[in-house]
Amino acid sequence: MLGLRWIGASSKHWLPRSASFALLLQQWGMPVLPSSAAPIVAQSPAIAICTESAADATLWFPATAVATVTQLLDDWQQHPLFPLFDCLTLRSYQATTDLQCKTEGERLRARCEPALLPRELDQRQIILTDTPTASADATQMVLPLDTDVDLMAHEVGHWLGFADEYPMSVKLAESFCQGRYQHASLNVVLTDTTEMSTGALRALWQQLPWRNAVPDWRQLGEQQANGRWRLGSSTQQKIGLFHSPTCANVEGVFSWKPVAEWTAMQYHDVNYWPELYLSLAKAYLAGLDSGLRDHDHWTQQGE
């Protein structure tokens, strides 16, 4: 299956004016966009074709939700994360029973089992369906039908290497906050103390995924009269070490993030993606080290 890659049109309404999307829907025998919204392909240079193997994910949506998907993708093209996640294949379904979704856990997260080819089992799937809660794991993202672009971006953020900055549920926190996770965490580091020796603080600084943005390890804390360092950067610093509520539900574990402000990984509707986060995600996707270190399974212990 071919996908659509959106490559940065100057127009803010590029998708509704694109004939390519409407023609793709016609091939599926689905309702098309109004003719006023879909002039000839030549007038819409924003769309290129990418192969399924190059796609970031497959987007599943109800055959009756063409307008919803059109608006969502139109908004996505304007989002700061778009350049990092710009190629989707599209697939429709007729009934929610086709997805075989089941809810689980305290937050009623949905897990679906759409019909996939063997080669697709490890590929990422984004599923728009009738669910009250958005969620994502390594290969599947499930979103409510009324999802807006900010909520979708928060979940895409997990695939780009970011952890939640709000208090994780007890079940999730018990794993993540003890270092038992199999994914990157570019924006949250963990410690078992709020005070450290000089050596421990320097070790923490050296392991930060955002170390290159903090030129001096002493910017991560304040030295006390006893010579030890209390963790936490000055609010005058733009980038440093700031408390994150991520592990609030786990006693004895302290979580930290690089910026003091609320970001989209704490409250998705804030839609604030610091330039640092975009740089971290870009380096992560490119597999570059460059001092932007992935700290899977890493928790700093105090001395």
Side-chain angles (χ1 to χ4, degrees):
M1 175 182 292
L2 293 179
L4 300 181
R5 168 171 281 147
W6 296 278
I7 54 177
S10 58
S11 168
K12 292 185 178 180
H13 301 288
W14 59 274
L15 184 56
R17 291 205 296 266
S18 165
S20 297
F21 188 60
L23 288 174
L24 186 60
L25 299 181
Q26 278 184 312
Q27 292 174 5
W28 295 334
M30 297 170 59
V32 299
L33 302 173
S35 58
S36 61
I40 61 173
V41 176
Q43 294 180 351
S44 181
I47 295 182
I49 300 299
C50 63
T51 63
E52 183 179 18
S53 61
D56 294 307
T58 295
L59 175 63
W60 295 74
F61 62 95
T64 56
V66 175
T68 298
V69 174
T70 299
Q71 184 61 59
L72 181 61
L73 295 180
D74 186 29
D75 293 341
W76 182 244
Q77 194 264 346
Q78 307 301 323
H79 197 276
L81 295 187
F82 165 75
L84 303 172
F85 199 86
D86 66 349
C87 184
L88 300 174
T89 57
L90 306 176
R91 193 172 298 180
S92 68
Y93 62 88
Q94 297 298 321
T96 55
T97 53
D98 296 341
L99 300 176
Q100 302 183 57
C101 298
K102 297 180 180 179
T103 57
E104 56 186 25
E106 57 192 272
R107 293 187 57 204
L108 299 179
R109 296 170 178 265
R111 176 71 190 182
C112 303
E113 300 294 338
L116 299 175
L117 297 173
R119 70 172 184 273
E120 298 174 322
L121 295 177
D122 293 328
Q123 297 174 3
R124 287 173 168 169
Q125 313 293 323
I126 301 175
I127 299 175
L128 289 176
T129 188
D130 185 17
T131 180
T133 305
S135 62
D137 60 25
T139 59
Q140 187 176 114
M141 181 189 306
V142 181
L143 300 173
L145 290 175
D146 61 353
T147 291
D148 62 22
V149 71
D150 295 342
L151 179 56
M152 175 176 164
H154 175 94
E155 299 302 332
V156 169
H158 290 305
W159 284 351
L160 296 178
F162 298 107
D164 287 323
E165 294 174 356
Y166 58 76
M168 288 184 173
S169 66
V170 173
K171 182 177 180 180
L172 289 177
E174 285 176 347
S175 294
F176 179 86
C177 299
Q178 299 297 334
R180 298 191 299 270
Y181 55 93
Q182 300 293 331
H183 54 80
S185 177
L186 303 177
N187 60 321
V188 175
V189 296
L190 311 174
T191 68
D192 65 357
T193 182
T194 59
E195 284 195 4
M196 288 184 174
S197 67
T198 295
L201 184 61
R202 294 188 66 153
L204 172 62
W205 172 69
Q206 291 172 349
Q207 294 292 334
L208 286 181
W210 58 91
R211 192 193 83 177
N212 279 6
V214 182
D216 190 327
W217 60 270
R218 288 167 290 195
Q219 294 177 350
L220 302 182
E222 180 180 359
Q223 192 169 29
Q224 306 300 295
N226 62 4
R228 294 176 65 81
W229 293 80
R230 184 183 302 277
L231 298 183
S233 297
S234 165
T235 55
Q236 297 179 348
Q237 286 184 222
K238 185 176 181 181
I239 300 173
L241 193 72
F242 300 93
H243 171 69
S244 171
T246 301
C247 293
N249 288 322
V250 176
E251 186 175 356
V253 178
F254 305 91
S255 42
W256 310 88
K257 61 180 184 172
V259 297
E261 300 90 348
W262 290 348
T263 77
M265 294 310 297
Q266 185 167 0
Y267 297 104
H268 71 266
D269 49 358
V270 170
N271 195 31
Y272 173 51
W273 293 91
E275 285 297 324
L276 172 66
Y277 284 33
L278 303 180
S279 297
L280 289 168
K282 184 177 180 180
Y284 173 67
L285 292 178
L288 300 176
D289 186 7
S290 302
L292 304 176
R293 302 169 189 272
D294 184 327
H295 70 288
D296 290 5
H297 311 295
W298 184 84
T299 302
Q300 177 65 29
Q301 297 181 347
E303 295 179 359

